[in-house]
Amino acid sequence: MDFTQPKPATALCGVVSADGKIAYPPGVKEITDKITTDEMIKRLKMVVKTFMDMDQDSEDEKQQYLPLALHLASEFFLRNPNKDVRLLVACCLADIFRIYAPEAPYTSHDKLKDIFLFITRQLKGLEDTKSPQFNRYFYLLENLAWVKSYNICFELEDCNEIFIQLFRTLFSVINNSHNKKVQMHMLDLMSSIIMEGDGVTQELLDSILINLIPAHKNLNKQSFDLAKVLLKRTVQTIEACIANFFNQVLVLGRSSVSDLSEHVFDLIQELFAIDPHLLLSVMPQLEFKLKSNDGEERLAVVRLLAKLFGSKDSDLATQNRPLWQCFLGRFNDIHVPVRLESVKFASHCLMNHPDLAKDLTEYLKVRSHDPEEAIRHDVIVTIITAAKRDLALVNDQLLGFVRERTLDKRWRVRKEAMMGLAQLYKKYCLHGEAGKEAAEKVSWIKDKLLHIYYQNSIDDKLLVEKIFAQYLVPHNLETEERMKCLYYLYASLDPNAVKALNEMWKCQNMLRSHVRELLDLHKQPTSEANCSAMFGKLMTIAKNLPDPGKAQDFVKKFNQVLGDDEKLRSQLELLISPTCSCKQADICVREIARKLANPKQPTNPFLEMVKFLLERIAPVHIDSEAISALVKLMNKSIEGTADDEEEGVSPDSAIRSGLELLKVLSFTHPTSFHSAETYESLLQCLRMEDDKVAEAAIQIFRNTGHKIETDLPQIRSTLIPILHQKAKRGTPHQAKQAVHCIHAIFSNKEVQLAQIFEPLSRSLNADVPEQLITPLVSLGHISMLAPDQFASPMKSVVANFIVKDLLMNDRSTGEKNGKLWSPDEEVSPEVLAKVQAIKLLVRWLLGMKNNQSKSANSTLRLLSAMLVSEGDLTEQKRISKSDMSRLRLAAGSAIMKLAQEPCYHEIITPEQFQLCALVINDECYQVRQIFAQKLHKALVKLLLPLEYMAIFALCAKDPVKERRAHARQCLLKNISIRREYIKQNPMATEKLLSLLPEYVVPYMIHLLAHDPDFTRSQDVDQLRDIKECLWFMLEVLMTKNENNSHAFMKKMAENIKLTRDAQSPDESKTNEKLYTVCDVALCVINSKSASCNADSPKDPVLPTKFFTQPEKDFCNDKSYISEETRVLLLTGKPKPTGVLGTVNKPLSATGRKPYVRSTGTETGSNINTNSELSPSAGSRSREQSSEASETGVSENEENPVRIISVAPVKNIDTVKNKEMNSDQSTQGNISSDRGKKRIVTAAGAENIQQKPDEKVDESGPPAPSKPRRGRRPKSESQGNATKNDDLNKPVSKGRKRAAGSQESLEAGNAKAPKLQDGAKKAVPAERQIDLQRTQTGWSLASS
């Protein structure tokens, strides 16, 4: 029953009873304004009851009560002040509409409007459910809804006013005390108006939508729910109205159409959540808005769509792909807030819609490199948040973006990335919350985080230490659990991460020692020296804290507190004492922090800095209990009862890494090892077959066993025979550690070492070289550790066996495979024995430390002869090329080792120094690599004299880009360490000649002046090479002009021109070359620095070993290079660049030429080997050397800090493609190159020389072979040249230089013209004399 099609009641209008009075129900008296309100209410209730009981079929009653119905609609009732009266009248009117449906008894449109507005006002009574009249209000609502009485209003012109009032009333009265029936009747009432009307006006729509706005939603949740259900029910009808509204506002920009225009995006979000179908026509309008020119408008749309796409149940991205793609484009928006909002959205999207991760990945990749720090930061937060929810939500690519950002230039971004990865590791690897597969997915995190310790920033280092203590190995775990975590972590780390972790413990231990020394200074009486030492120690400690500038002030303040508070000092002493347990450390840290805390100062930067210091020095992981737990874990691995396999580690690997871990900890926490149980386990390891395990165990005994002899006699008696056995028949490493262990922990070490020395020295047999290596190692270390006891007995062993019998004889023939390097396992035992023999000589001399005996000079001559002979000391040609490389490396390293001892450095001649330096240009890549690493390691520890840093200048000639980059990093490190050392040590100013990096310039100039490649002082191409070597060093030195250093270096070069070469003071050609190099250096310094012309702050001192004292009347203002040459050196010629050259830009100085192949026709076919070469030929040859392998392995881009290792390369494959041949078609071509042999091997053929029977390229006539650097050819197989004056010149010293091209491969030598017989005989005669001198020297030494 409803008024869907209302009909006017014209027939009923004005009908009254026969007597003209209004008919009332039985018992009801007349209702007029004459009666009281209470009486009126009483009578109206009876009327209500009558109308309530009537139905539509009671025609007589309908006719009878029509006048009453009209009477109840009078103004008297509609405007009655009593609400009960109004309610009863409204109920009557509602029933009247029901009874008379479909014809309403009221014909006037105005009257109808008044009636419905009246009824609507009464519905406000629904608000109070506790009211006595609530049931009657509910009846009114129910009646109206059931009959759909308001549908009558559709015929009224201004019906919209009634509907708006009704909707507003219902939305305002609904509350949480209403039951579902109330809500249902309201919905029925409103939905009938929407669905059965001609449309929804904007005002009516606003009355519904306003309840969706967040502000209204929060005020009345029930009205929001009512509107939501209403919209769902009427979606088909109202969708068009909604679309029109958004079209007006979004597309046409008519914000005046509605008061809700400013809330369109909030409305869209809510409507989408209610039913996406409500916005079918609106979504294309949003795509239009996404492309708006207004950044703020795009930002608003992006925020909206982020919520729509990211909501949990949304399928908008799949349903509307164009809009999704358009939205993704906003990741690259020019407006920063838009990009930021897009990135923030990605987190919710990844968590709620994993299927969209693929679409997001590429855009997040671009944003992870965004120029804005905040965006890069939020990319990390987005990925980490999703990963912490569920690791399956993020793919490896997304985790890779976080990994990259650990090296971001901004600390905030790096920190977020590192902490995020640490949290993932703890969640999925330590706690195993998602199983083994998830743990495997993030297993790389531990390595990556530890690699960051290689960064220079102290903030990075401190954060890695914090992450290690809180996430990788949480310090708050119980001891056994903590050590198990550490044990298996160490076993699963990659080598570089292990080094980083070891370095971390080393740095913490070093800082502990600094603090310990500071406390010791506090115990001493106050003095100027004490204050100076204390200040230096405070500066050192401050450098180990964040923001060293501010840290200095805080450390000084902390030092003052320590001086005043004895209890605080005692707490700190306990914290850093070797016996401090982890629990004690925790208590000490809290106690010290409590004492320094200031309740009135919530943020205390001083306290924060002290906490940083305490966290670094506190032993929160390792104590005696922890070491015992580690040993037990290792024992379980040895017994096979551990969970090694479950932890993803093999038992052998667990044991080996466990011993390595204990070995490292034995350096930093030696006291914690002192227990019988620990040593018993180590003795068990000594008996194992694994050589590495036994070696590590011996070293642990060496580091920690100082009290074994007195406290643990049983361990001592068991250990001694094992150490003797290892020193005699163990591996070389075991023998070394065994000898050092005996020397370190036993009081009767002389007796013990003698029991090893005597049988070994008597049993030496050169015919069985494989049994020689370990004895030679033991003897060398014994003679070094106990020189007073064994120096004399060793002298006869050295003269009669080491030199005469072993080094001067080749008993076996090496394999002629043409390789320049072989893996360790392929090196012949005889060569390994010779290498150890050379090391024995050095150790013996280092033990004696006596340069007055002839032994040191004889040894240096022997080593020099080995370098000159290219490793083949006997020149019998029985030794292979790879073995010769090993011996060259050993000889060069030996000279460098002796130079670390001041007494031997004094007797090393400039010629011997130059021979040693040329090893860094050896033709074998591994020789160059290992020698450079040894050189750097000694220099960085300030063990070598400054002149040896000049050797790095020769690296400019290295054909491998990686080696040049490595050399430059070494230079940077060395120079920074020396400058820092001078700043931190005031006393160092007295030794500036040996410390100041700028003083390397005269050594470098002298070294380059004696470069065997530098034969003609006016050759432009040779000068260009000299300039490149100079700039390789000067570029690093001139980075900063500290204390006017540019002028100082210029002054040094000018002063050198006023001296003579001390090596050959009377040779004009030698001095001319020296002055020419000085002029090139001055040319470079003047061109690169505008401030070099200022006055030098001090007059430089030149080393007298290399330069004579300036003569009083000597003036040298001559310019040794022409102006034209000067211009060529600075500008360079146009350089042809190959394809590879353009891709790989040179890393070194400007002016370096790319690698260009020389052909046979370029060098000519009829030029004698020793004749003058054309400049072009020389130029091409040097160009080949400097850029021969621009495609060599690049430095690690992800970790800018170079990891310097001194371990030799064990596999030739590691250096493949380092030296490449850019033109395979000209492999056989040979060009002449001023006494220098350069080779660049093709990919896959590194360090392999062609055999003599290989053919030369037939495209051009055969060219002569180049002579080896510093030596004439030794046989016809190396090619002979026609006789000329140069044959009579003295043999130049030197080593084969780094390979630069393949022109001088032995293949080319097969067709080269032969030398005259005189040339063949000259060198062997000289070599024979040299060898005789060496042997004679050793005979005299032994006597």
Side-chain angles (χ1 to χ4, degrees), residues 626-747:
I627 294 296
S628 179
L630 273 177
V631 171
K632 287 177 182 176
L633 278 169
M634 193 178 63
N635 287 339
K636 287 183 179 180
S637 294
I638 294 171
E639 295 163 4
T641 58
D643 304 328
D644 298 337
E645 298 293 347
E646 289 184 17
E647 298 289 341
V649 181
S650 68
D652 289 343
S653 180
I655 297 167
R656 191 178 297 113
S657 63
L659 254 297
E660 285 298 319
L661 172 59
L662 287 171
K663 184 177 79 173
V664 173
L665 295 176
S666 71
F667 286 100
T668 56
H669 301 79
T671 311
S672 302
F673 283 78
H674 196 69
S675 72
E677 182 186 11
T678 299
Y679 288 134
E680 286 289 351
S681 299
L682 291 173
L683 286 173
Q684 187 179 356
C685 293
L686 278 176
R687 299 185 184 98
M688 293 179 66
E689 295 180 359
D690 192 318
D691 293 336
K692 292 282 186 184
V693 169
E695 180 194 335
I698 297 172
Q699 191 158 356
I700 294 171
F701 273 111
R702 173 188 170 184
N703 295 339
T704 66
H706 302 290
K707 295 184 180 180
I708 286 179
E709 193 168 40
T710 55
D711 298 353
L712 301 168
Q714 186 178 355
I715 299 293
R716 175 189 182 278
S717 59
T718 310
L719 180 61
I720 288 177
I722 296 176
L723 293 177
H724 280 234
Q725 187 268 335
K726 295 295 183 185
K728 294 173 183 177
R729 291 181 292 279
T731 66
H733 290 294
Q734 290 173 357
K736 171 188 173 180
Q737 294 301 336
V739 171
H740 279 268
C741 186
I742 291 171
H743 185 266
I745 68 177
F746 297 126
S747 57

Side-chain angles (χ1 to χ4, degrees), residues 786-829:
D788 297 338
Q789 185 180 358
F790 300 104
S792 297
M794 181 60 76
K795 186 177 289 186
S796 60
V797 173
V798 168
N800 297 326
F801 178 78
I802 299 297
V803 177
K804 187 176 179 181
D805 207 15
L806 183 57
L807 292 177
M808 291 295 190
N809 284 311
D810 292 334
R811 286 175 167 76
S812 60
T813 304
E815 184 181 352
K816 302 292 183 180
N817 56 10
K819 293 182 181 179
L820 290 178
W821 189 264
S822 297
D824 290 354
E825 58 272 12
E826 294 181 15
V827 181
S828 67

Side-chain angles (χ1 to χ4, degrees), residues 1191-1207:
T1191 56
V1193 177
S1194 62
E1195 293 291 325
N1196 183 357
E1197 292 178 0
E1198 185 180 31
N1199 191 350
V1201 180
R1202 305 320 188 229
I1203 300 166
I1204 310 294
S1205 173
V1206 295

Side-chain angles (χ1 to χ4, degrees), residues 1008-1022:
L1008 292 175
H1010 288 269
D1011 185 349
D1013 289 344
F1014 187 34
T1015 57
R1016 291 180 296 163
S1017 57
Q1018 297 306 314
D1019 187 293
V1020 175
D1021 299 296
Q1022 292 185 21

Side-chain angles (χ1 to χ4, degrees), residues 191-255:
S191 60
S192 67
I193 293 172
I194 292 172
M195 291 190 291
E196 297 179 19
D198 294 333
V200 179
T201 63
Q202 185 60 51
E203 291 81 5
L204 184 59
L205 182 62
D206 286 353
S207 67
I208 302 172
L209 297 182
I210 196 172
N211 298 287
L212 306 182
I213 295 171
H216 287 262
K217 175 182 174 181
N218 296 333
L219 287 173
N220 192 342
K221 178 71 165 55
Q222 285 68 36
S223 66
F224 168 78
D225 293 335
L226 183 64
K228 182 169 74 172
V229 179
L230 176 63
L231 289 167
K232 275 189 176 183
R233 183 181 289 190
T234 60
V235 61
Q236 298 295 332
T237 306
I238 208 168
E239 188 268 334
C241 306
I242 291 174
N244 180 62
F245 164 57
F246 286 116
N247 183 62
Q248 294 285 326
V249 177
L250 294 176
V251 180
L252 302 179
R254 296 175 182 170
S255 57

